[in-house]
Amino acid sequence: MKKNIINLVLAFLLATIVSSCHFLDTQVYNVTETDKYYNTAEQLEQAVRGIYAILNESSLYGDAMLGRLGLDADLGYEYYKKDAGTVSYYETNTTDFRIANYWRSLYTGIARANMLLENIDKAEKVSDSERNRMKGEALFFRGFYYYMLVVRFQNIPLVLHSVSDINTDEKYVAQSSPAAVYARIIADLKEAALLVPDTTESSVGTRVTKCAVWGIIARVALSMAGNPVGDTSMYAIAAKYARMVIDSGVHWLNPSFEQVFINYARKVYDIHESIFEVNFWGDNQGSYATAGCVGRTNGIASSELSPVGYCMGVLRCSPILWYKYDSMDLRRDWTMSAFRYDGDTATKKYDDTESPIITRKYAAKFRRVHQRSTSTHAAYTDINFPILRYSDVLLMYAEAYAAQPSCADRDLALQCLNQVRRRGHGLDVGAKSSFDFYGNDSEMLDEIRDERARELAYECTRKDDLVRWGIFYESMQMAYMYLDGNNSSYQRAANIAYSSARPRDVMWPIPARELSVNSLLKQNPSW
């Protein structure tokens, strides 16, 4: 692998802390000699911030993952001509720069985590609780970044140490099996859970807590239980850790589905619903590059002159998702917008009131109109993005039961599923309703799969779900069949994405530039 991935010249982030909620306000300095670093509590904390900051990269949650990597699969597609011929349109190739940058950013984060873990005991005058917390955060992110790699590339190098001498073959690392990578991820996350603070010690969802780690363990376990590993014993692990989050008593559903996303726009930290989120700050107009593109890339289109704030609106909707909602599900019209903001006003313009074209609709969860910041700078926003919400945890517990009933409690699984359904219809989550699911176990799994689509659409989980369920290709074919045949430019873009998907797209190709510098790497099957 490239020197700058395995043996990274560290770019640590020396922060000016404005408040506990936006600790990623940073200034970058290069550090090349580790004996002059990691020596104080402040330097350790700066290193931790550098690991967190990877999430904000434009190749990840800062932009590309927000509708430009095909992660929405059958639920949405990208409508942006400049990205034609790339992974976003499922016209992927081994030199796709978005895939290469995704790989590189995550291995950069892993390198930073490895360096911190190797040097964390050097600093004096650091309390045991603070050292443990920082070690736990580093372990969490190493595990989480490997998870983000293995679910999309499957066959990846497992690098657990920094390179001591770049002039040797030590810098070349062969790929490990997905099972081996998953096992290491679980080990790192379990250790992290013992070290990070209790959720009750945090007032924000932007720092790692025990419930965040437990929830991600549940997610990783479900992935490991499905394709390609197929270790069904992991359903019990998923149920165990999802229930730990539930039993913590710290988390519950916000009564309003749309308020969850208004809170992200307004920088309101609702830790009861939002367990872990990516923190963005400012508009990148000053010294600090900590803003993102949430609501600018993925949102309701508006012009650069709009008082609402500019939005490209590149992520469009699939009829598959529209028809999963019933007409009384409040989530549908918040998740999928039939209007755009017209011209230099905030006037809502409905283009399809007489002849609805679902493929024209915008993915609309993240709306700049609710942004707390008064800045409407064209390129960046300070809207946060969810990685783990409580509704996801509830659905993961229900799925673990439905997939393997012996591993969980049916009554609790039904309660979890129905809480999400009730909230979606604006009802009291604790009271029975006509929208509750009462089917048998075999029907339950299909219902949970649809419920995950309705609840979590456009939150970067859909393709991973379809792959682990073993139904990715057939789902993309079904999305193609659902297109209504009109000749709009929107329809043509959707046609390209859904007709271009192939069975091999369950994984991405290993970037060509990595293969060229590391002879131990092998290209993924069919690529």
Side-chain angles (χ1 to χ4, degrees):
M1 194 182 307
K2 271 191 172 181
K3 296 178 182 179
N4 60 0
I5 294 178
I6 301 179
N7 189 59
L8 190 67
V9 176
L10 297 176
F12 287 116
L13 302 164
L14 303 181
T16 301
I17 301 178
V18 178
S19 80
S20 62
C21 294
H22 47 92
F23 71 103
L24 288 180
D25 287 358
T26 60
Q27 189 171 359
V28 177
Y29 294 82
N30 286 330
V31 179
T32 58
E33 300 178 68
T34 58
D35 61 340
K36 296 180 181 178
Y37 210 74
Y38 307 104
N39 295 319
T40 67
E42 181 183 11
Q43 288 176 339
L44 292 182
E45 184 63 27
Q46 291 160 1
V48 170
R49 292 170 188 152
I51 301 171
Y52 272 88
I54 293 298
L55 296 171
N56 299 59
E57 295 272 324
S58 62
S59 56
L60 302 176
Y61 291 102
D63 183 16
M65 291 178 65
L66 310 177
R68 307 181 75 175
L69 291 177
L71 300 180
D72 302 287
D74 62 333
L75 304 184
Y77 70 98
E78 185 182 8
Y79 178 68
Y80 190 49
K81 293 180 180 179
K82 288 185 178 180
D83 283 346
T86 70
V87 60
S88 60
Y89 279 77
Y90 280 88
E91 297 179 317
T92 318
N93 58 71
T94 61
T95 60
D96 194 307
F97 76 97
R98 294 203 182 281
I99 289 178
N101 290 340
Y102 180 96
W103 170 289
R104 185 174 182 178
S105 291
L106 290 170
Y107 273 109
T108 297
I110 290 165
R112 291 180 182 181
N114 285 339
M115 291 293 289
L116 177 58
L117 291 168
E118 290 169 2
N119 291 278
I120 197 165
D121 292 327
K122 286 173 53 179
E124 299 178 356
K125 298 180 180 180
V126 180
S127 68
D128 289 343
S129 62
E130 282 300 289
R131 197 186 307 271
N132 285 340
R133 188 260 305 165
M134 289 186 278
K135 181 179 180 181
E137 288 173 309
L139 285 165
F140 169 81
F141 278 110
R142 185 170 72 178
F144 185 61
Y145 291 156
Y146 269 124
Y147 174 70
M148 291 177 70
L149 285 162
V150 75
V151 293
R152 287 156 197 159
F153 294 98
Q154 296 192 9
N155 306 293
I156 60 171
L158 190 58
V159 183
L160 302 174
H161 305 284
S162 59
V163 176
S164 58
D165 185 354
I166 64 172
N167 296 312
T168 69
D169 288 344
E170 181 186 1
K171 62 181 176 291
Y172 301 125
V173 181
Q175 288 140 301
S176 295
S177 69
V181 176
Y182 272 110
R184 184 68 208 199
I185 293 168
I186 292 290
D188 276 358
L189 294 177
K190 284 183 175 180
E191 186 177 357
L194 300 174
L195 300 171
V196 299
D198 290 336
T199 306
T200 54
E201 298 178 33
S202 178
S203 60
V204 297
T206 56
R207 294 299 295 255
V208 178
T209 63
K210 289 189 186 302
C211 283
V213 181
W214 294 340
I216 294 300
I217 291 175
R219 179 180 293 177
V220 172
L222 283 180
S223 293
M224 198 172 177
N227 287 318
V229 177
D231 183 355
T232 56
S233 69
M234 297 305 292
Y235 285 121
I237 300 299
K240 173 184 175 181
Y241 281 92
R243 181 151 192 173
M244 289 168 68
V245 178
I246 295 167
D247 289 346
S248 72
V250 178
H251 302 289
W252 52 83
L253 296 176
N254 189 308
S256 167
F257 177 76
E258 67 181 60
Q259 189 63 44
V260 174
F261 302 95
I262 293 173
N263 286 343
Y264 289 127
R266 292 181 177 171
K267 307 295 283 190
V268 174
Y269 294 93
D270 175 14
I271 197 168
H272 307 300
E273 166 90 29
S274 185
I275 301 175
F276 189 53
E277 61 195 80
V278 185
N279 190 42
F280 295 101
W281 196 260
D283 58 10
N284 287 1
Q285 290 300 286
S287 302
Y288 309 121
T290 55
C293 293
V294 180
R296 177 265 195 183
T297 296
N298 56 340
I300 301 172
S302 54
S303 76
E304 294 185 21
L305 300 177
S306 173
V308 169
Y310 173 58
C311 178
M312 296 166 61
V314 304
L315 183 54
R316 301 301 182 97
C317 302
S318 162
I320 281 281
L321 179 60
W322 178 264
Y323 292 117
K324 288 185 184 296
Y325 294 106
D326 64 63
S327 62
M328 297 182 70
D329 195 323
L330 302 179
R331 294 172 296 186
R332 187 192 68 182
D333 292 337
W334 180 264
T335 300
M336 309 172 76
S337 172
F339 67 84
R340 57 185 169 85
Y341 293 104
D342 192 35
D344 60 357
T345 70
T347 303
K348 296 178 181 178
K349 182 175 179 59
Y350 293 82
D351 293 314
D352 57 356
T353 52
E354 295 183 3
S355 179
I357 300 174
I358 297 171
T359 49
R360 178 182 283 167
K361 295 180 185 296
Y362 299 96
K365 278 184 171 178
F366 303 94
R367 305 188 180 195
R368 295 197 68 175
V369 68
H370 296 291
Q371 210 174 335
R372 180 195 64 175
S373 171
T374 57
S375 171
T376 55
H377 182 257
Y380 303 101
T381 78
D382 64 352
I383 300 173
N384 284 8
F385 191 85
I387 291 178
L388 180 67
R389 295 196 288 116
Y390 186 55
S391 58
D392 192 354
V393 173
L394 294 176
L395 293 175
M396 287 192 288
Y397 184 85
E399 182 182 339
Y401 168 81
Q404 193 174 82
S406 62
C407 78
D409 179 77
R410 175 178 168 81
D411 289 342
L412 179 57
L414 285 171
Q415 179 183 336
C416 290
L417 172 59
N418 287 328
Q419 281 187 32
V420 177
R421 291 169 65 87
R422 293 166 192 162
R423 198 265 298 270
H425 289 83
L427 303 174
D428 180 352
V429 300
K432 292 183 178 181
S433 81
S434 60
F435 296 103
D436 286 2
F437 173 80
Y438 293 105
N440 59 39
D441 288 351
S442 62
E443 296 169 330
M444 189 175 180
L445 186 57
D446 286 337
E447 185 58 35
I448 290 166
R449 290 177 175 180
D450 283 346
E451 196 62 38
R452 287 188 65 82
R454 292 187 282 261
E455 176 71 18
L456 302 170
Y458 314 132
E459 296 181 46
C460 301
T461 62
R462 181 61 174 179
K463 183 185 178 185
D464 300 336
D465 283 348
L466 296 180
V467 170
R468 65 186 175 84
W469 293 332
I471 59 172
F472 166 76
Y473 181 56
E474 66 186 73
S475 297
M476 296 296 279
Q477 289 182 306
M478 184 64 68
Y480 180 67
M481 293 174 61
Y482 263 69
L483 298 179
D484 57 21
N486 74 79
N487 195 37
S488 68
S489 57
Y490 314 98
Q491 189 85 352
R492 291 195 295 273
N495 275 331
I496 292 172
Y498 296 129
S499 66
S500 297
R502 298 289 181 266
R504 70 178 185 176
D505 288 311
V506 296
M507 68 184 85
W508 286 340
I510 305 300
R513 72 184 186 188
E514 302 301 332
L515 293 169
S516 69
V517 297
N518 184 355
S519 61
L520 298 182
L521 294 182
K522 296 180 180 179
Q523 186 54 272
N524 277 332
S526 299
W527 289 101

